[in-house]
Structure formats: C-alpha cells, structure tokens
Amino acid sequence: MNERYEKFTLNIAQIYFNIQRIKADEMKEYGLTARHVNCLYFLYQHDDGVSINQMVQEMGEDKAAVSRALQALKEKGLVSQEDGGTRKYKNRLFLTEEGRRVAGGTERKIAAAVDYTGKDLTEEERSQFYDTLSLIAANLSEYMHNLRARTRKSED
C-alpha cells in the first residue's frame, strides 16, 4: 500500500474520531451531542443571524443533518428563527440568550482543545500546517469534482 496514503487516511480518521468524541464528551454538560457543536459555533460567529442555506453552504454539511441539529437546538430553547412564512430555509436563525451562554462555553472548550493539540508547534509551524491542510482540502475537493465530471461523462 502507498505509505503516504496509509499515513494520511489513518491519521485523518483518527483525528476525526477523536474530534467527535471530544465534542460528545464536552457537550454532555449541556445535554447536547457532537452534532450540535458546529451549529452553535457557527451561529455564535454570526450575531446578525444566518439562514439554514447559508449555514449548510459555509459549513459544508448535509442540509438534513443541519436541519435536525437546529430543530433540537430550537426545542432546547437555544436557537430561535425569524418567522418569514413558508421559506423556512431562508429565514434567519439566532442564538437565544441561553444559546449564547452555551455557545460561549462551547467556544471556550474549542479554544482549549485547539490550543492543546497544537501545544508542541511554533506559530510558524501551526500556520504552515493549517495552510497545508487547507491546500489538501481544496485539492481533494477539486479531485472529487473532476472525478464526478468524468463519471457523468462516461455515463452519457
């Protein structure tokens, strides 16, 4: 097997697994699950509110999963949505006062985890790592786009 492939995929899988477990463990205190973290964090960054469509696009997550997470957050009184009639996916969502409190706690936990995981890196190494990771993500997206285009072309 290609050693770079093996290192890359196994390390990414381990990182993802640990992130999900950390999210789940840290959210227990609020009676939430890992799937709520990104929604809370995203809304916390957008005081002026945001639509589900915008969240899905910017977070790169599945619309149904985001909708389910937001519904649970609404039921817990952490998120509210402006009433704009039938265009639910375009109506802006906001954190309630309690939602801001929980999201603030979540942001502090995220900052602590990020700081800890990079504790042995210099600022220059950290910057290079994130630049490299962003480049890899962009290249993978481009590869996937090209792969889908080739697949569609061969199916025609």
Side-chain angles (χ1 to χ4, degrees), residues 49-110:
V50 64
S51 70
I52 293 175
N53 285 338
Q54 184 182 354
M55 287 181 76
V56 167
Q57 183 177 3
E58 291 185 30
M59 290 170 43
E61 303 227 7
D62 176 67
K63 190 178 216 175
V66 171
S67 293
R68 285 190 301 274
L70 288 168
Q71 184 59 40
L73 292 170
K74 286 182 208 172
E75 290 169 5
K76 290 187 173 286
L78 303 176
V79 171
S80 63
Q81 186 170 19
E82 68 184 5
D83 187 16
T86 59
R87 298 186 157 246
K88 156 178 132 170
Y89 289 105
K90 292 187 178 187
N91 296 341
R92 298 185 88 59
L93 296 145
F94 301 89
L95 289 173
T96 63
E97 191 63 38
E98 178 65 6
R100 291 203 60 71
R101 185 189 69 76
V102 170
T106 301
E107 184 173 51
R108 285 186 291 282
K109 291 172 185 271
I110 289 168

Side-chain angles (χ1 to χ4, degrees), residues 96-140:
T96 63
E97 191 63 38
E98 178 65 6
R100 291 203 60 71
R101 185 189 69 76
V102 170
T106 301
E107 184 173 51
R108 285 186 291 282
K109 291 172 185 271
I110 289 168
V114 169
D115 288 347
Y116 185 85
T117 59
K119 66 184 173 68
D120 298 324
L121 298 173
T122 66
E123 277 305 313
E124 183 179 345
E125 289 170 328
R126 184 177 292 115
S127 178
Q128 288 175 343
F129 169 75
Y130 285 116
D131 288 347
T132 301
L133 190 60
S134 294
L135 181 61
I136 289 170
N139 287 345
L140 279 171

Side-chain angles (χ1 to χ4, degrees), residues 29-68:
E29 137 181 23
Y30 303 117
L32 300 170
T33 65
R35 69 185 174 112
H36 301 114
V37 173
N38 289 352
C39 290
L40 282 172
Y41 182 80
F42 192 83
L43 286 168
Y44 194 67
Q45 305 305 313
H46 293 82
D47 286 335
D48 56 340
V50 64
S51 70
I52 293 175
N53 285 338
Q54 184 182 354
M55 287 181 76
V56 167
Q57 183 177 3
E58 291 185 30
M59 290 170 43
E61 303 227 7
D62 176 67
K63 190 178 216 175
V66 171
S67 293
R68 285 190 301 274

